[in-house]
Amino acid sequence: MMSQKVRVRFAPSPTGALHIGGVRTALYNYLFAKKHGGDFILRIEDTDSQRFVPGAEEYIIEALTWLGLKFDEGTHIGGGYAPYRQSDRKEIYKKYVDSLLEKGAAYIAFDTPEELDAKRAAIANFQYDASTRGEMRNSLTLSKDEVQGLIDRGNQYVVRFKIEPNEDVLVNDIIRGEVKINSSVLDDKVLYKSADNLPTYHLANIVDDHLMEITHVIRGEEWLPSAPLHVLLYRAFGWEETMPQFAHLPLLLKPEGNGKLSKRDGDRLGFPVFPLEWKDPKTGEISSGYRESGYLPEAVVNFLALLGWNPGNDLEIMSLDELIELFSLERCSKSGAKFDYEKGKWFNHQYIQKKSDAEIAKLYLPYLREKEVDFPLDYIETVVGLVKERVNFVKELWDQSFFFFEAPTSYDEKVVKKRWKEDSAAQLNELIVVLNNISDFSAHNQEIIVKDWIELKEYHLGNIMNAFRLAIVGESKGPHMFDITAVIGKEETIKRLEKAVHDIK
Ligand code: GLU
């Protein structure tokens, strides 16, 4: 076979917010395409108008853009195979449905929902297939004239795929190997509905994959049961030669216990299952998103990449470019991946450390503005450098650094009780004099001079430093003491010491 340009598609149905599992599917498609110099395509599968949710398509695009997964073609950017939204491709599908009818690979069925319900009630485990289609109202049981008559009189119908029973259908899956399914378990799937003049998911999906020259179908495990049907459809159309290769990704599992990760797990354990915040347009219900929760897109990408794939060694921190370099479908696991939310936080922590202080400072700015503090950017950068190792999220920076921006207005009572000794006030008064005499107020120099003084006076180092910290921070936290005082400066340090000596009783 001719070596072909890799083309993959992410083909979501716009039925709501994109679940984090869907984001992983998009990511793996992207990594695979870029690894092979191929195209990554966004196709919107919106043939089920009943389930269409306004805003969902825009949400999907915004989420993947935020994560840095750039499409080569799609509804929002066009491309050589446009249109990319199935509802804009309506006219295309009819002739493919007709071709299956002509070949006898599909048939027209008039059974009403009531008639189908009656059958289901009468026959246990009723399935519309080779064993039952002979008793139903369809073009196989009715004469040509009867069929035409019903259509002419405006009766609604569906087109069903005629699946031959008792045949082993093979699906070659890159991740799962050869999957064999007997065609008898499949039902005669509806491919087209006259009522809305639209194909169903299965038909539109296959026709579009063919027309868009898709080479690999990489999607969630929940679509594996549809794969045999898809193989049979390719065959019915005579497109076996160009059938894409399948790769069905493992499920994302609950963090604890068994089963598929759900939105309820997120609500229960307090983590988002959506990339961006989502407001349900019907109920108004708001679901949290990774972006709004303070995750860096790089961290989310890295975290998701390892949920179902690994590079074959214990490498964990990988940029998008490194992931592209290392990714392979062969290294995807068959078994489900437990959604380890704590690990997600760990990744965010790692990426905060990896980013420059300047970058983090910029992300910190909005939070500082909210607190109405206004400091020069290089000051903020220095502060960030001193405290970022203590946080998992940018929003946690304030709690670790507020004392760089404002003097304590009160002192933690518990700390006062424990750390403020009888002679603390007198000692800090002496410390004020010592500090006042220091001209080079660098952390290093302060430390040498203050420690010399403590040694000379035979004071208790711990007691002095604890009282000192209480005066400067207001509680017993923060980075190295002299790093703090070097940053806030001599004047501010002495001011805070004087206030503490005066205020703490
Ligand atoms: N529209 C399907 C979905 O919502 C696409 C499945 C596939 O990739 O074939 O996931």
Side-chain angles (χ1 to χ4, degrees):
M1 210 173 111
M2 214 171 57
S3 97
Q4 222 184 336
K5 185 172 193 190
V6 164
R7 288 175 56 80
V8 297
R9 83 303 193 271
F10 179 55
S13 297
T15 55
L18 180 60
H19 188 273
I20 199 75
V23 178
R24 188 202 52 179
T25 298
L27 171 63
Y28 284 19
N29 272 283
Y30 173 85
L31 294 177
F32 183 77
K34 295 303 126 186
K35 163 118 197 170
H36 297 283
D39 295 329
F40 175 51
I41 297 147
L42 175 66
R43 184 172 75 223
I44 296 293
E45 303 209 321
D46 60 346
T47 53
D48 189 347
S49 53
Q50 303 271 316
R51 298 183 61 217
F52 176 81
V53 172
E57 179 181 332
E58 292 75 6
Y59 176 96
I60 290 164
I61 293 166
E62 191 181 338
L64 298 178
T65 305
W66 175 64
L67 291 165
L69 308 183
K70 266 177 90 173
F71 287 102
D72 299 293
E73 300 164 27
T75 49
H76 56 315
I77 45 174
Y81 298 75
Y84 293 93
R85 193 180 294 112
Q86 289 185 329
S87 59
D88 295 335
R89 299 172 63 81
K90 269 186 197 171
E91 280 68 46
I92 296 174
Y93 305 112
K94 186 74 170 68
K95 80 165 191 242
Y96 293 98
V97 176
D98 290 343
S99 84
L100 291 182
L101 284 171
E102 273 156 39
K103 286 178 185 162
Y107 60 92
I108 289 174
F110 294 98
D111 318 273
T112 62
E114 295 74 35
E115 286 167 342
L116 289 169
D117 282 345
K119 276 281 180 217
R120 283 189 202 108
I123 305 174
N125 301 321
F126 170 79
Q127 178 166 280
Y128 208 124
D129 62 16
S131 70
T132 55
R133 64 170 83 106
E135 316 156 20
M136 310 298 289
R137 281 205 310 134
N138 56 46
S139 59
L140 302 174
T141 57
L142 303 169
S143 73
K144 236 185 161 146
D145 289 344
E146 282 173 308
V147 169
Q148 200 51 53
L150 284 168
I151 294 176
D152 290 345
R153 270 174 271 123
N155 284 281
Q156 299 299 357
Y157 62 91
V158 298
V159 175
R160 285 183 181 270
F161 191 37
K162 188 169 169 231
I163 292 185
E164 302 303 341
N166 273 323
E167 185 206 334
D168 282 336
V169 184
L170 294 182
V171 178
N172 260 311
D173 188 287
I174 298 172
I175 298 172
R176 283 147 214 279
E178 207 168 77
V179 182
K180 205 193 286 180
I181 288 192
N182 193 280
S183 62
S184 294
V185 305
L186 304 173
D187 65 329
D188 289 354
K189 273 274 172 311
V190 172
L191 302 178
Y192 176 86
K193 294 176 181 165
S194 69
D196 48 10
N197 197 20
L198 272 178
T200 58
Y201 152 75
H202 298 289
L203 186 102
N205 186 271
I206 297 309
V207 168
D208 285 346
D209 280 350
H210 175 72
L211 294 177
M212 294 180 181
E213 300 189 87
I214 298 302
T215 58
H216 297 78
V217 167
I218 304 166
R219 61 186 174 189
E221 180 177 295
E222 63 273 27
W223 298 100
L224 186 57
S226 301
L229 168 72
H230 293 181
V231 169
L232 291 174
L233 270 170
Y234 276 104
R235 197 198 292 168
F237 279 121
W239 296 336
E240 284 149 302
E241 286 291 304
T242 56
M243 183 166 84
Q245 276 191 276
F246 291 105
H248 289 91
L249 304 175
L251 281 179
L252 289 189
L253 303 175
K254 295 179 187 303
E256 49 194 39
N258 292 316
K260 217 174 123 179
L261 176 74
S262 72
K263 177 163 147 40
R264 242 176 297 135
D265 297 315
D267 295 341
R268 184 167 55 89
L269 300 165
F271 61 85
V273 296
F274 299 124
L276 316 179
E277 190 174 277
W278 166 255
K279 185 175 176 193
D280 190 295
K282 262 211 198 104
T283 63
E285 190 201 347
I286 292 182
S287 305
S288 65
Y290 277 82
R291 182 177 66 184
E292 290 73 13
S293 302
Y295 280 84
L296 299 170
E298 299 90 329
V300 177
V301 162
N302 198 155
F303 170 49
L304 287 181
L306 287 166
L307 286 175
W309 169 84
N310 69 75
N313 51 40
D314 48 20
L315 199 57
E316 289 193 291
I317 302 295
M318 288 164 276
S319 68
L320 198 52
D321 283 342
E322 288 165 324
L323 287 169
I324 290 169
E325 175 75 30
L326 295 167
F327 187 77
S328 82
L329 288 171
E330 286 77 12
R331 291 212 61 85
C332 288
S333 66
K334 280 198 262 285
S335 49
K338 262 206 190 324
F339 193 81
D340 183 354
Y341 178 61
E342 290 303 322
K343 192 80 193 195
K345 288 187 194 164
W346 179 84
F347 273 107
N348 212 53
H349 176 85
Q350 297 300 320
Y351 275 88
I352 287 182
Q353 312 318 309
K354 244 172 92 104
K355 277 198 187 278
S356 70
D357 296 343
E359 280 174 283
I360 300 297
K362 264 194 217 116
L363 297 174
Y364 190 16
L365 277 180
Y367 296 92
L368 291 173
R369 235 168 259 147
E370 211 173 283
K371 298 284 177 190
E372 292 180 355
V373 302
D374 187 16
F375 277 75
L377 203 56
D378 58 344
Y379 183 92
I380 299 166
E381 270 175 50
T382 307
V383 172
V384 162
L386 289 172
V387 301
K388 72 176 186 184
E389 65 179 15
R390 296 158 181 264
V391 304
N392 291 333
F393 298 97
V394 170
K395 65 180 173 206
E396 292 170 355
L397 282 171
W398 176 255
D399 202 41
Q400 297 296 335
S401 68
F402 60 87
F403 43 87
F404 285 100
F405 305 103
E406 50 190 36
T409 49
S410 64
Y411 304 92
D412 186 315
E413 266 180 53
K414 267 198 215 121
V415 183
V416 171
K417 229 178 186 171
K418 202 165 152 208
R419 308 285 200 205
W420 194 259
K421 311 283 179 200
E422 231 168 285
D423 44 7
S424 289
Q427 289 172 339
L428 290 195
N429 267 328
E430 276 182 55
L431 176 61
I432 291 170
V433 177
V434 173
L435 292 174
N436 229 333
N437 282 326
I438 301 179
S439 48
D440 167 10
F441 212 67
S442 67
H444 182 66
N445 199 42
Q446 284 183 67
E447 178 158 6
I448 293 172
I449 293 173
V450 171
K451 283 192 174 158
D452 276 355
W453 160 71
I454 292 172
E455 220 168 277
L456 188 75
K457 293 287 194 151
E458 293 183 357
Y459 288 155
H460 188 277
L461 175 71
N463 285 353
I464 301 251
M465 294 311 288
N466 286 335
F468 190 10
R469 185 174 292 277
L470 180 62
I472 302 299
V473 176
E475 44 191 295
S476 59
K477 70 170 172 202
H480 189 56
M481 205 44 232
F482 296 105
D483 283 336
I484 306 177
T485 50
V487 171
I488 65 175
K490 184 158 134 183
E491 201 182 313
E492 176 68 16
T493 301
I494 289 173
K495 222 163 79 186
R496 291 190 193 182
L497 283 168
E498 285 170 343
K499 184 170 186 298
V501 168
H502 180 266
D503 288 3
I504 302 177
K505 295 287 169 313

